[in-house]
Amino acid sequence: NFGAMFLGALSIYSSSKTDFEFNERIPLLWSVGYFIIDTMDCVIRKDVTYLLHALLCLVLGMCNYNIPILRDLRMNSKATFCELSNPFMHLAKQTRNPMHFLLFAIVFTCCRMIWIPMMAQQIIQHGTMKLYHPVLIVLGAFYLLNCFWYLKIVRILVSAGSTTNTNKKAKNE
């Protein structure tokens, strides 16, 4: 993930119309390779949700590779910033610290729930793709998967909040 984020940031930083400084296909090939391995791992682990994630990312990566406007907009490099939430997720899982989970939830909100619609809006505003274009439909499916995960995150936050309130009430009684 860090490799994809580094290459994505480098690609966006050095963006030029000619792709001479840093070609957008470099982080694309990194991401596609990563999600090929991720797909195989999900099949072996029989993890349907993450398999769907890997497949959607592979399809979007191949679209980014083959559709010039997506490369010009550096959509793959921008999409790598969705991965910023992953280190926080792993930290929260490792430590089981509620503040780490809250930090993960905030970063997930920014990097996925807000950032993905902003990328979709940029594609639509460019004017070459309509809302019903297959790329935007796959991106919509990817966003719905993230909404599914987001609901789980919100449920955990709400249940943690209600547990904390219950514990405070019990201590006061």
Side-chain angles (χ1 to χ4, degrees), residues 151-167:
L151 287 174
K152 291 175 90 170
I153 291 167
V154 169
R155 266 192 239 134
I156 290 169
L157 289 172
V158 168
S159 69
S162 65
T163 302
T164 303
N165 289 339
T166 304
N167 290 342

Side-chain angles (χ1 to χ4, degrees), residues 67-78:
I67 300 174
I69 186 56
L70 297 177
R71 276 194 322 276
D72 289 347
L73 292 171
R74 297 189 179 267
M75 281 297 139
N76 185 76
S77 292
K78 292 174 183 173

Side-chain angles (χ1 to χ4, degrees), residues 1-72:
N1 289 345
F2 289 116
M5 288 183 279
F6 173 75
L7 291 172
L10 188 60
S11 176
I12 291 170
Y13 175 75
S14 64
S15 68
S16 66
K17 294 291 182 195
T18 63
D19 250 354
F20 179 72
E21 293 172 28
F22 190 87
N23 194 305
E24 173 69 355
R25 286 187 169 170
I26 294 170
L28 268 165
L29 291 172
W30 176 286
S31 295
V32 167
Y34 174 85
F35 284 112
I36 288 171
I37 300 296
D38 196 35
T39 299
M40 291 187 292
D41 179 55
C42 291
V43 168
I44 291 167
R45 290 185 298 116
K46 298 178 181 158
D47 190 334
V48 177
T49 308
Y50 281 99
L51 176 62
L52 179 60
H53 174 265
L55 291 172
L56 290 170
C57 289
L58 265 176
V59 169
L60 289 168
M62 295 310 298
C63 290
N64 286 326
Y65 189 86
N66 290 301
I67 300 174
I69 186 56
L70 297 177
R71 276 194 322 276
D72 289 347

Side-chain angles (χ1 to χ4, degrees), residues 91-93 95-106 156-157 160-161 164:
L91 176 66
K93 279 184 175 181
T95 64
R96 298 286 186 201
N97 182 322
M99 291 308 291
H100 290 161
F101 188 81
L102 180 61
L103 180 61
F104 160 66
I106 291 167
I156 290 169
L157 289 172
T164 303

Side-chain angles (χ1 to χ4, degrees), residues 74-130:
R74 297 189 179 267
M75 281 297 139
N76 185 76
S77 292
K78 292 174 183 173
T80 61
F81 292 109
C82 291
E83 299 299 317
L84 282 172
S85 62
N86 285 358
F88 298 100
M89 176 187 68
H90 294 297
L91 176 66
K93 279 184 175 181
Q94 247 180 355
T95 64
R96 298 286 186 201
N97 182 322
M99 291 308 291
H100 290 161
F101 188 81
L102 180 61
L103 180 61
F104 160 66
I106 291 167
V107 174
F108 189 95
T109 301
C110 295
C111 295
R112 292 180 183 248
M113 304 314 296
I114 296 171
W115 187 242
I116 294 170
M118 288 174 64
M119 290 188 308
Q121 184 64 28
Q122 188 178 11
I123 294 169
I124 293 167
Q125 284 178 342
H126 191 271
T128 56
M129 291 186 186
K130 303 292 183 212

